[in-house]
Structure formats: structure tokens, C-alpha cells
Amino acid sequence: MKQMSCPDFSDCSTFVSAVCVHQLHTSSTEPASSSYNGLYPGHIHTTPIQKALLAVGSGVAALRDPYRHDMVAVLGEATGHFALINLRDRMKNDPEGYTILTERPRIRLSTIDVAKMASLPEGSFGREYVRFLEDNHVTPDSRADVKFVDDEELAYVMLRYREVHDLMHTLLGMPTNMLGEVAVKWFEAAQTGLPMCAFGAALGPLRLNASRLQTLVTSLGPWALRNGLRARFVLNIFYERRWEQSLEDLRQELNIEPPPVILSAAKKMST
């Protein structure tokens, strides 16, 4: 394998891309019997050293611009192996979670009926999810495919986490502005143990102004952590079968309190 040179960290997205291109090139020279060949479409095998480089480059890029979805995605994949094993095992040990792992549902515009969900009664989970998408100008199709997770089942767990992220915003009543994203990351960090979530929860507050930081520290933060620790495991819910359930009832089932503060919708896209 050729030695990989280290690009200029002033452009971290270029750095991460260089790792991808390098690995794609070396993968093309590997024999077809390679243990990582064909794990899933788009998979790029990386060594521990390459994962560390990806984590550093994507982490710096995500810190500079938290709305860089691609860099946040790479950071999650490069650092999440052990957490993903734990998440997968928790899903396997729950009847509903096991069904999700078996059926592999996807949340995409091609798999959900947005028009039908928009016609559901006010207060239903599906209707509130569509309202969240409209108010925050986001789409479920914005979620990046998994590339750097070297296990097909764990790759799906990561993908499922990404595709239910906007559902977490809906359940928690949080928009996609920076304060809302940080509150969701605090909840997700407590729920999942993913290093990427802890990274966002710890460093996200640095981008808040004094007023929003006070709201996070005194109200939203403690609420998000408390609910993240005590709520039912969110990856064990087959949300596609809950669209008609009321948001209030679903919150009660998951042991999630309504938000203590109502935030207005954001203009930027969810991460």
C-alpha cells in the first residue's frame, strides 16, 4: 500500500477527500477475495490509522462549520465503532429493535408518503414531522450514505441513527438552529454514547451567544440530558408505524418530557 501524504489542514474537506480517493485507488488493486470487498454499496475500507486521520480532519472541519453534514458524517463513522456495537446489541435485545434490524426500513422521500402524512390530524406524529421538515426547510434525503464503517450491520445502525435524527428534533420540539441542534446532541449523546454526539454536545455551546448559552445551561441542557438518560432507547422504535400516533402519546410512551422552552424554526439545514 502506498504511503498517504498529509494535505494542508487549512482545507479539511480536501483532506478527507484525499483519504477517500487514496483508499479507493488502493482498494482497486486489492484481490477480489479481500475481507472488506463488497460489504455494502459505497463502502470504503480504512485502516485504524486512516480512521484516526479522518477523525481529526473531519472533526476540525465540523468545528469550523457545524453545518458541514459530510464532515459530521465522516466524524461519526471514524469514531463510532464501539458505540455502534453497543447500539446494535441493544436493538437485537428488543423485539421492536430486532424487527428494525431484520427489515431494514429507510426514511426517504421515496419510502414515506409525505402528502398522506401532511393530511393526518393536527398533533399526530406524522403531521408534526412534516411540519418540522417544512418549517426548517429540510428533507430526509439529505442524509449521507455510510462509507467508512467496516461492518454491514453496524453500517445500517449508523444509517438508521442518521435517518431518525430529524424525528428526534420532532419528538423534542427542537428546530435546526444552533441551540436546537446542541440540545438534540445532548439528548443523543446520553442515548447513544456516540463520540460524534459527545463532540457536538461539548463544543456546540462555544458557538452560542450569551443569551442562548444561558438558556442551554439553565434549561434546555439539563432537560435534554435528563430525558436522554431516562427515555426508552430511540433506535428501538419503528417510527414508520407510528405516524398516526399522537406526538403527546408517543412522548409519554418514550418517557420524554415536552421542551421547557419553545424555539422558533431555523433556516439552516439539520446536521
Side-chain angles (χ1 to χ4, degrees), residues 12 27 30 53 71 103 108 126 133 192 202 205 208 219 232 263:
C12 293
S27 295
E30 295 285 347
L53 293 172
M71 295 295 100
E103 298 187 12
R108 311 282 292 178
L133 296 176
T192 68
L208 299 175
S219 180
R232 181 178 170 185
L263 303 180

Side-chain angles (χ1 to χ4, degrees), residues 12 57-73 178 199 207 268-269 271:
C12 293
S58 59
V60 172
L63 180 61
R64 292 172 60 186
D65 183 0
Y67 290 102
R68 281 295 304 272
H69 309 160
D70 52 346
M71 295 295 100
V72 174
M178 186 55 61
F199 179 85
R207 288 185 166 269
K268 282 197 173 184
M269 293 192 61
T271 61

Side-chain angles (χ1 to χ4, degrees), residues 137-157:
H137 310 289
V138 296
T139 168
D141 286 353
S142 65
R143 298 299 156 202
D145 291 331
V146 178
K147 296 183 178 68
F148 301 108
V149 177
D150 297 329
D151 180 279
E152 187 270 340
E153 190 172 46
L154 297 183
Y156 175 74
V157 174

